[in-house]
């Protein structure tokens, strides 16, 4: 065989090897294809997205909402949103105030109230969030990464508890069960939260049933804080007021929200939270 | 002919480029495609190991758990709870591994006295009768080292323990956090350091919540001792007796512990869930 033919064969073989790795079936994306490299990256993305969402819960439990916004949320993508049953907070400034600044103010007002009624407790920075214990868990995940690898969607059940101390010094422990729907964007190689939507099913004192007693979904990054008349913070309304979800009541039919993530190639093909 | 050579080189470079992709969190280092695939498998295998820990422990088979899914070669394995660290193979085996069986044999004998229908059964046949333990693992953060030799994980664990008290089974809610270092030995992920931080342990019955009262965190393998009792006298305590974590109280601020796993390349670059990392 001539040297030229050998080179042609080498070229064809090499080309086929390269091509073969780009012809793998892409699961949900029936009409498009992913390379082996893309598939591997997709597999890593699942856990990295779970890590980001779990970190959200741990930061929030530590009442470090501002640090969470700095570390885990988008910085470049337009119109991030934070939503609860009552509506949407839209844009960086609004989310920073509602989820971050307000959380700091609530911690201070809560401590002010505790100190007024408990002179032995010092009103110092170290005592902020005293008596607060929150654990929002993440279970039952559905995570879908876009075919183009630039965005992703996730949904979780979150059985949890929220424990606060009221102005009277009494502890209040509640069960809180929710669903989360979230959109993620990859910025500079790292997954970030873009849209985060909580759908609260019930928040009920421990020892009682949500069939008899459920509170409105928590407002302002977490619920139980003093009323404005008692030194608490007045809650701002959402930028977009809309009942996105209702807590349990005996006359409530099951609500098909959030919509489950579905396979998609690029974000414009799917819905948003 | 020269153009053929150029084509070959270009083609080889295209193929090779798939092994030089940026590895996300490891800003200064890169993972090959092979390493990425292994990393992806590691996540699920680590979750499997951690889940197996929970199922073994629920069966009160700590001995089998330690023999099967804990490290055998790595230095200074440790098991820790709110009251301190049990460090080294000897202490780990004396408490978490063997102590569980001792405590559950005691509990089984107690049940035989409390329930006449059990009296003529052998302790072995009804080992851990009346107990029901379910520690779940949720909300995972798993970070595998860039070098693939170690990993770190953290979980929320809402659960319940139904254990044998002086008057029979008592049911309690128990919510905890787990933080664990894993090490790969002979190709398998093993538990190296396990840290359990209990937030509350409170009776299910009685109409009270952890905001009203909570019990001390269970100690010594969370065996069959009642949750507010100390372990049997012949059970050694932690050899690093520090209060690593506090159960809920109304004057307690949120505790930033355990520290969340962070991306790292090799274990010396990160912190540990053993006493050195406290």
């Amino acid at each position: 065989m001539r040297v030229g033919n050998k080179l042609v064969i080498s070229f064809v073989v090499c080309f086929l090897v390269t091509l073969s790795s780009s012809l793998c079936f892409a699961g949900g994306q029936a009409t498009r294809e992913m390379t082996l490299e893309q598939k591997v990256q997709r597999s890593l993305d699942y856990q990295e997205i779970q890590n980001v969402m779990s970190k959200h819960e741990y930061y929030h439990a530590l009442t470090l909402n501002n640090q969470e916004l700095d570390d885990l949320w988008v910085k470049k993508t337009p119109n991030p949103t934070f939503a609860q049953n009552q509506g949407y907070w839209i844009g960086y400034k609004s989310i920073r105030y509602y989820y971050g600044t307000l959380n700091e103010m609530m911690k201070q007002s809560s401590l002010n109230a505790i100190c007024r009624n408990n002179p032995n407790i010092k009103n110092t920075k170290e005592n902020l969030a005293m008596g607060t214990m929150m654990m929002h868990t993440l279970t039952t995940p559905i995570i879908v990464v876009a075919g183009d690898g630039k965005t992703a969607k996730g949904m979780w059940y979150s059985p949890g508890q929220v424990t606060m101390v009221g102005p009277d010094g009494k502890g209040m422990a509640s069960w809180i069960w929710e669903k989360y729907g979230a959109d993620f964007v990859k910025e500079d190689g790292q997954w970030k939260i873009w849209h985060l939507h909580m759908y609260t099913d019930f928040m009920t004192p421990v020892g009682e049933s949500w069939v008899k007693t459920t509170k409105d979904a928590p407002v302002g990054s977490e619920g139980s804080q003093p009323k404005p008349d008692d030194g608490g913070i007045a809650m701002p309304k959402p930028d977009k007021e809309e009942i996105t979800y209702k807590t349990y009541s005996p006359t409530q039919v099951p609500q098909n929200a959030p919509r489950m993530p579905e396979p998609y190639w690029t974000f414009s093909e799917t819905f948003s939270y | 002919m020269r153009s053929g050579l150029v084509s070959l080189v270009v083609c080889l470079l295209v193929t090779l480029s798939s092994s030089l992709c940026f590895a996300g969190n490891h800003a200064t280092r890169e993972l090959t495609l092979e390493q990425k695939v292994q990393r992806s498998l590691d996540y699920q295998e680590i979750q499997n190991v951690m889940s197996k820990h929970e199922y073994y422990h629920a069966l009160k088979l700590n001995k089998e758990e330690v023999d099967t899914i804990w490290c055998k070669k790595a230095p200074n394995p440790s098991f820790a709870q709110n009251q301190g660290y049990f460090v080294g193979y000897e202490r780990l085996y004396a408490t978490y591994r063997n102590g569980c069986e001792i405590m559950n044999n005691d509990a089984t004998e107690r049940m035989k006295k409390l329930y006449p229908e059990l009296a003529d059964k052998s302790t072995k046949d009804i080992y851990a009768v009346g107990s029901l333990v379910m520690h779940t693992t949720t909300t995972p953060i798993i970070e595998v080292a860039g070098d693939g030799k170690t990993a770190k994980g953290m979980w929320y664990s809402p659960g319940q323990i139904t254990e044998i008290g002086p008057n029979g089974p008592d049911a309690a809610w128990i919510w905890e956090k787990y933080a664990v270092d894993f090490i790969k030995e002979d190709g398998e992920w093993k538990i190296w350091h396990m840290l359990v931080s209990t937030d509350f342990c409170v009776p299910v019955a009685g109409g009270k919540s952890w905001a009203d009262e909570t019990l001390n965190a269970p100690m010594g393998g969370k065996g069959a001792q009642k949750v507010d009792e100390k372990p049997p006298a012949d059970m050694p305590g932690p050899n690093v007796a520090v209060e690593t974590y506090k159960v809920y109280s109304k004057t307690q601020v949120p505790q930033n512990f355990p520290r969340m796993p962070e991306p790292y390349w090799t274990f010396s670059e990160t912190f540990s869930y053993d006493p050195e990392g406290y």
Side-chain angles (χ1 to χ4, degrees):
Chain A
M1 191 182 288
R2 293 189 320 181
V3 174
N5 284 349
K6 280 186 181 173
L7 283 172
V8 169
I9 289 168
S10 299
F11 178 79
V12 170
V13 168
C14 199
F15 179 74
L16 286 174
V17 167
T18 307
L19 193 65
S20 68
S21 68
S22 68
L23 286 175
C24 299
F25 181 64
Q29 282 82 41
T31 58
R32 291 171 168 118
E33 291 152 356
M34 302 179 82
T35 64
L36 179 60
E37 176 77 19
Q38 286 171 323
K39 284 184 171 185
V40 170
Q41 186 57 53
R42 186 186 182 83
S43 179
L44 292 173
D45 289 338
Y46 289 131
Q47 183 60 41
E48 287 171 12
I49 287 162
Q50 177 65 61
N51 281 358
V52 168
M53 195 62 188
S54 297
K55 285 180 183 176
H56 152 74
E57 303 297 9
Y58 294 113
Y59 274 123
H60 183 60
L62 293 168
T63 70
L64 297 177
N65 293 13
N66 270 324
Q67 193 175 333
E68 178 198 325
L69 290 170
D70 292 343
D71 291 351
L72 304 182
W73 283 65
V74 290
K75 299 291 174 295
K76 301 172 179 174
T77 313
N79 296 323
T81 56
F82 176 83
Q84 293 178 283
N85 287 18
Q86 305 88 344
Y88 297 86
W89 284 264
I90 304 168
Y92 291 98
K93 194 175 170 186
S94 186
I95 294 172
R96 175 65 69 176
Y97 179 73
Y98 180 72
Y99 187 67
T101 308
L102 202 57
N103 183 257
E104 294 299 316
M105 291 163 67
M106 286 166 58
K107 283 193 282 186
Q108 185 61 64
S109 77
S110 178
L111 182 59
N112 292 347
I114 290 171
C115 291
R116 269 200 305 276
N117 295 300
N118 305 275
N120 294 331
I121 293 173
K122 291 181 180 172
N123 197 333
T124 60
K125 190 180 172 186
E126 290 71 31
N127 282 337
L128 287 174
M130 176 179 277
T132 298
M133 179 173 68
M134 294 179 277
M135 297 172 84
H136 298 283
T137 69
L138 293 175
T139 75
T140 330
I142 303 175
I143 298 173
V144 172
V145 181
D148 66 12
K150 295 177 181 172
T151 63
K153 305 180 79 66
M155 177 174 166
W156 288 264
Y157 270 145
S158 176
Q161 61 83 13
V162 172
T163 309
M164 302 276 182
V165 172
D168 57 0
K170 284 188 179 173
M172 299 175 292
S174 298
W175 298 120
I176 182 166
W177 283 47
E178 304 180 295
K179 290 188 276 277
Y180 293 93
D183 293 318
F184 301 86
V185 176
K186 209 171 215 178
E187 287 187 350
D188 302 324
Q190 305 228 338
W191 286 105
K192 301 288 179 180
I193 299 169
W194 183 17
H195 307 128
L196 180 58
H197 196 147
M198 283 104 163
Y199 305 78
T200 305
D201 285 281
F202 61 81
M203 179 165 162
T204 303
V206 173
E208 297 179 27
S209 160
W210 43 93
V211 174
K212 296 256 170 82
T213 313
T214 185
K215 296 176 182 175
D216 287 337
V219 176
S221 59
E222 215 51 79
S224 318
Q225 62 110 32
K227 298 264 189 307
D229 294 344
D230 203 10
I233 305 295
M235 288 294 129
K237 290 183 175 177
D239 297 320
K240 183 183 175 190
E241 267 190 281
E242 178 185 327
I243 303 298
T244 63
Y245 200 73
K246 291 177 181 170
T247 52
Y248 176 82
S249 86
T251 57
Q252 177 65 52
V253 297
Q255 300 159 88
N256 191 3
R259 184 172 157 187
M260 284 184 265
E262 296 151 15
Y264 66 103
W265 189 266
T266 194
F267 198 75
S268 60
E269 291 176 5
T270 191
F271 63 94
S272 167
Y273 289 120
Chain B
M1 186 170 160
R2 282 186 67 184
S3 64
L5 273 172
V6 169
S7 301
L8 183 62
V9 169
V10 168
C11 201
L12 280 170
L13 284 174
V14 168
T15 308
L16 192 64
S17 69
S18 68
S19 67
L20 289 173
C21 292
F22 179 65
N25 292 321
H26 307 290
T28 57
R29 293 163 167 127
E30 290 158 352
L31 296 173
T32 64
L33 185 61
E34 178 80 22
Q35 286 171 320
K36 284 185 172 185
V37 170
Q38 186 56 54
R39 185 183 183 79
S40 178
L41 294 172
D42 289 338
Y43 285 132
Q44 186 58 43
E45 287 170 9
I46 286 163
Q47 178 63 59
N48 284 358
V49 169
M50 194 60 195
S51 297
K52 283 181 183 176
H53 153 74
E54 304 298 9
Y55 294 117
Y56 274 122
H57 184 62
L59 293 166
K60 311 290 189 179
L61 297 178
N62 290 22
K63 189 181 280 185
E64 286 76 0
E65 179 201 327
V66 170
D67 293 347
T68 309
I69 59 172
W70 282 68
C71 63
K72 300 290 174 299
K73 301 171 183 173
N76 297 323
S78 61
F79 174 78
Q81 294 177 283
N82 289 21
Q83 303 89 343
Y85 295 86
F86 302 82
V87 185
Y89 287 99
E90 190 178 336
R91 187 63 59 100
L92 178 73
Y93 279 40
T95 54
Y96 185 76
R97 182 183 183 275
N98 303 336
C100 172
E101 191 172 292
I102 295 167
M103 289 192 294
N104 281 285
N105 280 335
D106 284 350
T108 304
E109 291 298 327
R110 220 176 308 148
M111 286 294 283
K112 286 164 75 172
K113 290 175 186 157
L114 291 166
Y115 290 81
E117 64 269 37
L118 300 176
D120 61 348
K121 309 271 188 194
S122 81
T123 300
K124 188 181 173 187
D125 287 347
I126 58 166
Y127 175 70
V129 63
S131 69
L132 181 73
V133 171
M134 296 170 88
H135 297 284
T136 68
T137 55
T138 76
T139 327
I141 301 175
I142 299 173
E143 293 287 354
V144 180
D147 67 11
K149 295 177 180 172
T150 62
K152 303 180 79 68
M154 179 169 167
W155 289 264
Y156 268 147
S157 175
Q160 64 81 18
I161 51 173
T162 308
E163 299 282 20
I164 314 305
N167 302 311
D170 293 319
W173 297 120
I174 183 165
W175 284 46
E176 305 179 298
K177 289 189 275 281
Y178 291 90
V180 182
D181 293 320
F182 299 88
I183 191 161
K184 213 170 212 177
E185 287 187 349
D186 302 324
E188 296 200 334
W189 286 106
K190 303 287 182 181
I191 297 169
W192 185 14
H193 309 127
M194 178 179 285
L195 172 61
V196 182
S197 299
T198 303
D199 285 280
F200 62 82
C201 182
V202 61
V204 171
K208 290 187 175 178
S209 81
W210 49 92
D212 303 311
E213 64 176 21
T214 183
L215 305 167
N216 288 329
M219 189 170 178
K222 290 184 289 191
Q225 93 263 20
K226 198 166 182 292
V227 288
D228 55 354
E229 285 177 342
K230 290 185 175 177
D234 57 352
M235 183 87 65
N239 41 4
V240 181
V242 291
E243 190 174 30
T244 61
Y245 197 76
K246 291 178 179 167
V247 290
Y248 177 79
S249 82
K250 286 181 281 187
T251 56
Q252 178 64 52
V253 297
Q255 299 161 87
N256 194 355
F257 189 83
R259 185 170 156 186
M260 284 184 259
E262 296 154 15
Y264 67 103
W265 189 264
T266 194
F267 199 75
S268 60
E269 290 176 6
T270 193
F271 59 94
S272 167
Y273 290 125
D274 73 358
E276 287 184 20
Y278 174 65

